[in-house]
Amino acid sequence: MIKVSEKELIELMKNVKQNFPNEFYETIGFMRGLKTKLDNERKSTKINVEYETKNQ
């Protein structure tokens, strides 16, 4: 596992953005899409649990 400081990570992201803009935005888009998908799954699971609890 590689450990980097927050400052080093920010510099790395800036370099990636400058040198590989398409890949940078694809990665950010993928991460946002993944977060949205996980949030939606979490919400639907919560709704299902609430529904099952009410109907017991």
Side-chain angles (χ1 to χ4, degrees):
M1 183 176 196
I2 299 172
K3 294 190 179 194
V4 293
S5 70
E6 189 175 340
K7 189 176 180 180
E8 289 172 319
L9 183 60
I10 290 169
E11 283 301 311
L12 178 64
M13 291 302 281
K14 284 180 184 175
N15 289 338
V16 170
K17 187 176 179 182
Q18 285 177 345
N19 297 319
F20 306 100
N22 293 339
E23 290 83 349
F24 176 79
Y25 289 110
E26 285 174 13
T27 303
I28 296 300
F30 171 77
M31 291 168 71
R32 284 188 180 144
L34 187 60
K35 181 184 183 306
T36 303
K37 181 181 175 196
L38 292 173
D39 287 347
N40 289 342
E41 285 179 6
R42 198 172 297 123
K43 285 178 190 171
S44 68
T45 302
K46 184 178 178 186
I47 291 168
N48 289 339
V49 169
E50 286 175 4
Y51 178 78
E52 289 172 7
T53 305
K54 286 180 183 177
N55 290 328
Q56 283 182 349

